[in-house]
Amino acid sequence: LGGGPTTPSTDKLLRRPSLAMRDSFQQLATQTAHQLEDIWDIVGIVPEERASQLADLVDRIAAICHEKVDQEEQLADQFRKEIAQARFEWEESCAVLRIEDEEDPLVKMKRDPSVNGATPGVSLQSEYEVMMGRLEVVRGRMEVAME
């Protein structure tokens, strides 16, 4: 039997993730198919059962892929929720402190294309970091005002 699956280099995954995944999945599928064929030949599994087992395997792999996408969508939703909460607190704090010249940090960030470097658009992580940074400044002002 062949060795375990090989994983693509981190560099390849960072540069071309869809191609790296495709290549890895193709290699994994080929290795697995050969290993299963060898075992099934030894055991004497009929073609119909082999097809059924392969279909089941593909379904299980698809379920894992869907689960990963769902996890990442939940992460994005969590970022959106926390950004909205931070923005609300920031707006409320600015109103309490009567800070009227403070521009919404996310509006400012989205207007400045240099903020995100080479990445098109503004990432949720960048929005979160900017919003939390401005919120911390306003929280500090609130503490001083309450003294």
Side-chain angles (χ1 to χ4, degrees), residues 12 36 42-43 47 62 65 81 84 94 102 104 113 120 127-128 139:
K12 186 174 180 181
L36 289 173
I42 293 168
V43 174
C65 292
K81 178 182 173 187
C94 285
E102 181 88 14
D104 182 319
E127 284 187 27
Y128 177 81
R139 283 177 177 163

Side-chain angles (χ1 to χ4, degrees), residues 36-102:
L36 289 173
E37 287 172 6
D38 290 345
I39 294 167
W40 290 336
D41 286 344
I42 293 168
V43 174
I45 303 295
V46 297
E48 293 80 14
E49 178 61 24
R50 292 178 186 205
S52 174
Q53 287 189 34
L54 287 174
D56 179 56
L57 181 58
V58 169
D59 288 346
R60 290 182 6 207
I61 292 169
I64 291 169
C65 292
H66 291 298
E67 182 180 308
K68 181 62 178 170
V69 170
D70 288 345
Q71 288 172 351
E72 296 304 312
E73 286 176 346
Q74 289 173 9
L75 176 64
D77 289 343
Q78 185 65 33
F79 266 109
R80 287 183 191 100
K81 178 182 173 187
E82 291 183 24
I83 290 166
Q85 289 170 341
R87 179 183 248 158
F88 178 77
E89 182 182 342
W90 174 81
E91 289 171 348
E92 292 290 307
S93 298
C94 285
V96 167
L97 293 169
R98 293 186 172 91
I99 301 172
E100 296 175 6
D101 60 339
E102 181 88 14

